[in-house]
Amino acid sequence: MPDAIVAEDLVKTYGELRALDGLSLEVPEGTVLGLLGPNGAGKTTTVRVLTTLLRPDSGRVRVAGVDVLAEPAMVRPRIGLSGQYAAVDERLTGRENLVMFGRLYHLGRKESTARAAALLDRFGLGAAADRVVQTYSGGMRRRLDLAAALVTTPPVLFLDEPTTGLDPRARVDMWGVIEELVDGGTTLLLTTQYLEEADRLADSIAVVDHGRVIARGSSDELKDRIGGETLEVVVGEDHQLPDAVSALAAVGQGEPVVDAHARRVKVPVTTGVRALIEAVRRLDDAHASILDVALHRPTLDDVFLTLTGRPAQESAPAAGDTAGEDASPADEAQERTSA
Amino acid sequence: MSLAGELHDGLILTKRSLLRIPRVPETLMFATIQPIMFVVLFSYVFGGAVPLPGGASYREFLLPGVFVQTMSFATAATSVGLAEDMSKGLIDRFRSLPIARSAVLVGRTTADMLLNVFVLAVMAVCGVLVGWRIHTDVGHALLAFVLITLLAFTMSWIGALIGMSVRSPEVASTAGIVWLFPVTFVSNAFVPIGGMPGWLQTIANWNPVSTFVSAARELFGNPNPFGSGLPREHPVVLSFAWIVVLLGIFVPLAVRKYRIATSR
Ligand SMILES: Nc1ncnc2c1ncn2[C@@H]1O[C@H](COP(=O)(O)OP(=O)(O)OP(=O)(O)O)[C@@H](O)[C@H]1O
Ligand SMILES: [Mg+2]
């Protein structure tokens, strides 16, 4: 299968900061690559380079068979982009926005109108279609933004954190829409801070940190590397901690981690609920009082901890968290200048 | 990209900007209340205070000046609009589309120009109500209106460059106009330059704003006690030359800025 997206050795520096530091990736036609990484990892920068918005200092990029740096104008008709922040005209209605984008992709007047109506329906915006976007919620804007990227069903699609800021239900809806697209043969590069999202949507995941890909594989492969789930137990008394440690050591992978202050013990496990039951049975035998016991799916932080031996630098929301902040680009700019 | 393609894209984006106009309160204020205020305030506040050579009517003298000044401030609307598009990420999105590199700017400046035609009409009507008159024929008057509209269009391109350079709408609303105060006031727009100190007179004489105002006065047949040399002898021709020169400089600069523009 030929690659729809190839990036080789991308470097982009901002002063001292290496936003991209030799990043390479390839996405075979018709597949989904999830670009996973914490804040500031270089996900957006990568997307901007791939979508002709930013020239890297060095490196090579091909998208849909076209050399992006040499012929950006040839690439643009073949790609769709939905950026990290909804970029639609607030003063236009949802329908006016989509018709405008259709016309800009050189669809006829009738075709643009029909396409807009179909997309509005599909994204559950039918009722709000003729309201100005200013009155939309964050999730509605996000959906409209994605719809705008799909007016021509481009063969290669870039979605930068498509579900950040959505509530859990809207997120699942969005996943459904994205899955449909991919079933239709679209090649997709998707960035996300949620392992769960990459897990659900991506054929292959690239973990990005400090501007380079630090791990690559299917979601199962990555999870195996980070030891699947984490089993966590909180006991009632300090003197019960050793019992908890030995119980968890028996069911988990490697040395349990102890937080004595919280009387909490953690260990990676690969056997899920079976490990949990076994651990509880052992603690019960030892007459330890259990205040809390939980099985955690791996989070991005776990991936980081395992892959880099240190936690992700800035706290990223854990997988399965509800809606993150719908930060506006202005907030973002402030954050960056104050950083 | 073919010329037809460029026009098509430009038109779609002009339509977008036009759709926005009635929905943005600030734009409406700019388009209606502000010009009315300028005409009325300037005529009544300065009306009696400025003596003109030969006892000519100050209001007749003033109105072309107000037209040109207001149109020069068209810069701000364009720069704020583009800075807003930039900060909202819309410019990024447009840049990722297969459209002409000029389209976003052509759309914005054309829509702003059409808005300014409306503003100019409002001011002209107000002007007539406070006693301003055209003393030439339809052809000359039309040429004057065309010239002032083209001036607004040219100023919009300067605004486009400013808007994309400063990127934040708040900064753009200041950066778009501060420099316009000296530029429009050190001119013959509100007072005959004869009363200024010598060095200021020289600047005012060669200030393109004076040339435009003088051209408008000449074409409308309004009192035009002005300056020396080329700006005095051929204000109309010189005004059109200024438009060609300024567009020749600022259109390419603005388009170039757009091509490399990034929202952050
Ligand atoms: N225009 C710029 N000027 C200076 N630094 C920049 C610029 N754009 C990006 N950076 C820096 O480059 C790094 C990578 O940024 P990027 O936006 O690609 O991260 P990201 O992975 O998308 O993060 P997030 O999850 O917060 O969206 C960050 O440290 C960021 O501060
Ligand atoms: Mg990002």
Side-chain angles (χ1 to χ4, degrees), chain A residues 72-154:
Chain A
M74 300 288 289
V75 185
R76 294 189 189 108
R78 297 175 164 83
I79 59 172
L81 165 66
S82 172
Q84 185 164 356
Y85 305 100
V88 282
D89 191 326
E90 308 238 304
R91 309 282 187 168
L92 302 191
T93 66
R95 192 189 307 281
E96 285 165 348
N97 265 293
L98 293 185
V99 171
M100 171 181 74
F101 285 115
R103 301 283 283 141
L104 289 176
Y105 273 108
H106 297 111
L107 300 182
R109 199 181 309 255
K110 271 205 187 120
E111 214 182 336
S112 304
T113 313
R115 184 77 187 139
L119 284 167
L120 287 162
D121 258 6
R122 175 163 167 205
F123 285 82
L125 293 170
D130 297 307
R131 268 171 32 203
V132 290
V133 173
Q134 234 175 357
T135 66
Y136 284 23
S137 72
M140 292 163 79
R141 280 169 208 229
R142 197 69 244 201
R143 277 178 280 156
L144 183 65
D145 192 81
L146 180 58
L150 299 178
V151 283
T152 53
T153 45

Side-chain angles (χ1 to χ4, degrees), chain A residues 234-244 260 263 287-291:
Chain A
V234 179
V235 291
E237 307 286 338
D238 287 341
H239 65 81
Q240 295 165 341
L241 275 172
D243 292 331
R263 292 195 294 275
H287 304 292
S289 56
I290 303 172
L291 287 192

Side-chain angles (χ1 to χ4, degrees), chain A residues 14 44-45 48 51-54 73 76-77 79 81-93 96-97 99-101 103-107 109 132 134 144-146 148-149 329-330 332-333 336, chain B residues 1 4-6 8-13 15-21 23-26 84-101 103-104 108 259-264:
Chain A
Y14 291 106
T44 298
T45 308
R48 292 171 60 84
T51 54
T52 77
L53 297 181
L54 187 67
R76 294 189 189 108
I79 59 172
L81 165 66
S82 172
Q84 185 164 356
Y85 305 100
V88 282
D89 191 326
E90 308 238 304
R91 309 282 187 168
L92 302 191
T93 66
E96 285 165 348
N97 265 293
V99 171
M100 171 181 74
F101 285 115
R103 301 283 283 141
L104 289 176
Y105 273 108
H106 297 111
L107 300 182
R109 199 181 309 255
V132 290
Q134 234 175 357
L144 183 65
D145 192 81
L146 180 58
E332 175 87 347
R336 282 180 203 292
Chain B
M1 168 102 20
E6 282 193 44
H8 169 271
D9 298 342
L11 265 178
I12 302 290
L13 287 161
K15 190 177 157 205
R16 168 211 168 210
S17 293
L18 288 177
L19 278 174
R20 289 171 58 95
I21 289 174
R23 300 177 194 172
V24 184
E26 304 91 272
E84 200 176 282
D85 283 354
M86 186 85 103
S87 69
K88 295 245 157 87
L90 263 170
I91 295 287
D92 274 354
R93 162 151 256 155
F94 288 135
R95 284 177 66 236
S96 81
L97 296 179
I99 58 174
R101 299 290 89 183
V104 171
R108 170 70 62 173
R259 294 168 63 113
I260 57 169
T262 46
S263 61
R264 59 192 174 95

Side-chain angles (χ1 to χ4, degrees), chain A residues 271-296:
Chain A
T271 50
V273 180
R274 285 221 314 279
L276 180 141
I277 294 172
E278 174 66 15
V280 170
R281 203 181 53 71
R282 281 169 185 264
L283 281 165
D284 209 33
D285 287 350
H287 304 292
S289 56
I290 303 172
L291 287 192
D292 194 13
V293 56
L295 198 57
H296 290 295

